[in-house]
Amino acid sequence: MDEPRSATRRRGRRPAGEDTRGALLAAARVEFAERGFEGATVRRIADRAGVDAAMVNHWFGGKEQLFTAALELPIDPDALLAQVLPGDPEELGARIVRTFVEVWDATGGGAMVALIRSIAGHEEAARMMREFVSRVIIGRVVEVVAPDRPELRAALCGSQIIGLGVIRFVVRVEPLASADTETVVATIAPTLQRYLTGELG
Amino acid sequence: MDEPRSATRRRGRRPAGEDTRGALLAAARVEFAERGFEGATVRRIADRAGVDAAMVNHWFGGKEQLFTAALELPIDPDALLAQVLPGDPEELGARIVRTFVEVWDATGGGAMVALIRSIAGHEEAARMMREFVSRVIIGRVVEVVAPDRPELRAALCGSQIIGLGVIRFVVRVEPLASADTETVVATIAPTLQRYLTGELG
């Protein structure tokens, strides 16, 4: 990847390369914590970091990817949505569970432990996660299946997904900690599916 | 409550009262972390604390209550089981969800935040929680309804319960964060009920 020389020359305050990336991440955490995902702007994050706004696209690809990187989620939202959204809406729960388990398993659960520690210990991380659950990932997933009570359904999905992560990777309760992906999908997907498209009671 | 003078006189190493209680809690955390709930003994915890084993009953009522206090759970296991176990087994999921929400709500969610922070940050707390989920609370609940695959069912129940706690109290995703107890019960109890007595898939 090219070094963002134009920005550093323009402002003369930051060295090029990884330092720009790091400055953007630090600025993003402050901006997202203060204004939430929707309220934050790429321009203001770049200003806080002392670089040109084009550097956000250069280093991250856009606001969502910067948000994900700032939260240290092992997920690219666009890649995740491209994986789970296409296909039978009645199988959406299974695709969501499978994708999360595969993404988490790929990091040995370390990313999940870091995420839980972060949201339990820092209000700003909890707020960022709240935005992420409500609007970015699940909000868009729920929009696709277009049910009633979309916000409640999104929160319910979030509760089962994050609880699975805690039990499988943080507390490591057997047999769920060692269960293969298909066992996890078979047992938990019906829960997600009911929260997405079923009768809520 | 009486001060446990006999113990302090006997060993001459601890002042009476709250310090004995604190020493027992500290010793219990070490013992439970090293040996798990089943392997830990009241006698060894008392020895570590430098007090008589009778002090465990005096201050906590027994091993389970000492375990709960050491984990800083806002739950007395016996009181919880007495509340959820009696009644129609097909309504057990609803009773569990209602009880957890009422217990957590009573502390404003603060106990849940402390618990999550603790299990994410300390392996010993995670291990204690693992024992608690697997054996004490859910193990005994699942035994009552006597299904197949009891350990998997217990872990699944744990995942939905702890995920509800994280979303409602730690990340605070609306509308689940502010939903009244009956809304939470109506939406989440069917999940617990399937995990307890239903077809797992």
Side-chain angles (χ1 to χ4, degrees):
Chain A
M1 201 174 271
D2 295 331
E3 285 186 345
R5 295 195 187 284
S6 62
T8 51
R9 273 206 301 270
R10 184 175 65 85
R11 307 293 284 259
R13 290 164 52 194
R14 296 279 175 196
E18 283 296 327
D19 286 351
T20 296
R21 189 175 182 280
L24 280 169
L25 284 173
R29 291 192 183 102
V30 175
E31 172 78 3
F32 285 129
E34 285 185 8
R35 298 172 188 272
F37 179 80
E38 299 293 342
T41 71
V42 164
R43 174 174 300 275
R44 207 154 32 217
I45 291 168
D47 280 351
R48 285 182 189 271
V51 303
D52 192 89
M55 289 302 102
V56 171
N57 284 329
H58 178 84
W59 283 105
F60 298 97
K63 179 174 158 185
E64 277 192 17
Q65 290 83 352
L66 174 56
F67 180 83
T68 310
L71 197 52
E72 296 176 15
L73 286 174
I75 300 168
D76 174 337
D78 286 331
L80 185 111
L81 291 168
Q83 197 164 347
V84 303
L85 288 183
D88 182 358
E90 290 303 316
E91 297 287 329
L92 184 55
R95 293 197 295 280
I96 291 174
V97 175
R98 184 175 291 112
T99 300
F100 270 94
V101 169
E102 287 173 354
V103 166
W104 282 333
D105 279 358
T107 69
M112 186 69 203
V113 175
L115 175 65
I116 294 293
R117 191 173 296 162
S118 177
I119 63 178
H122 309 285
E123 169 54 29
E124 68 179 74
R127 178 168 172 172
M128 287 168 63
M129 186 70 196
R130 190 155 64 236
E131 297 278 339
F132 192 76
V133 170
S134 318
R135 306 192 187 195
V136 184
I137 295 279
I138 316 250
R140 278 159 64 179
V141 170
V142 171
E143 268 173 25
V144 168
V145 293
D148 60 312
R149 304 165 89 183
E151 293 176 351
L152 178 59
R153 291 176 186 275
L156 289 166
C157 288
S159 78
Q160 179 59 87
I161 290 169
I162 206 160
L164 169 62
V166 171
I167 287 293
R168 184 172 171 90
F169 297 113
V170 183
V171 181
R172 297 196 303 283
V173 177
E174 294 294 359
L176 211 45
S178 307
D180 61 33
T181 304
E182 292 314 309
T183 299
V184 179
V185 171
T187 52
I188 290 187
T191 298
L192 267 283
Q193 197 62 46
R194 184 171 72 84
Y195 292 160
L196 286 167
T197 60
E199 191 65 48
L200 284 187
Chain B
M1 200 173 271
D2 294 333
E3 286 185 344
R5 294 195 187 283
S6 61
T8 51
R9 271 207 301 270
R10 184 174 64 85
R11 307 292 284 258
R13 289 164 52 195
R14 297 278 175 196
E18 283 298 326
D19 286 350
T20 295
R21 189 173 183 280
L24 280 169
L25 284 172
R29 291 193 183 101
V30 176
E31 172 79 2
F32 285 129
E34 284 184 9
R35 298 173 186 271
F37 179 80
E38 299 296 341
T41 71
V42 164
R43 174 173 300 275
R44 208 153 33 217
I45 291 169
D47 279 352
R48 284 181 189 271
V51 304
D52 192 271
M55 289 302 101
V56 170
N57 284 329
H58 178 82
W59 283 104
F60 298 96
K63 180 173 158 185
E64 277 193 17
Q65 290 84 352
L66 173 57
F67 181 83
T68 310
L71 199 53
E72 296 178 13
L73 286 174
I75 300 167
D76 174 335
D78 286 330
L80 185 110
L81 291 167
Q83 196 163 348
V84 302
L85 289 183
D88 181 356
E90 290 303 317
E91 298 288 328
L92 184 54
R95 292 196 296 278
I96 291 174
V97 175
R98 183 174 292 112
T99 299
F100 270 94
V101 170
E102 286 173 354
V103 167
W104 282 333
D105 279 359
T107 70
M112 186 68 203
V113 175
L115 175 65
I116 294 293
R117 189 173 297 162
S118 177
I119 65 177
H122 308 287
E123 169 55 28
E124 68 179 74
R127 176 167 175 171
M128 287 167 61
M129 187 68 196
R130 191 156 63 237
E131 297 278 341
F132 192 75
V133 169
S134 317
R135 305 191 187 196
V136 183
I137 294 281
I138 317 254
R140 278 159 63 178
V141 170
V142 170
E143 268 173 25
V144 168
V145 292
D148 60 313
R149 304 165 90 185
E151 292 176 353
L152 178 59
R153 291 176 186 274
L156 289 166
C157 288
S159 79
Q160 179 59 88
I161 291 170
I162 206 159
L164 169 63
V166 170
I167 288 294
R168 184 171 170 92
F169 297 112
V170 183
V171 181
R172 297 196 305 281
V173 177
E174 293 294 357
L176 212 45
S178 307
D180 61 33
T181 304
E182 290 315 309
T183 300
V184 180
V185 170
T187 53
I188 289 186
T191 298
L192 267 283
Q193 195 63 46
R194 184 172 71 84
Y195 292 160
L196 286 167
T197 60
E199 192 64 48
L200 284 187

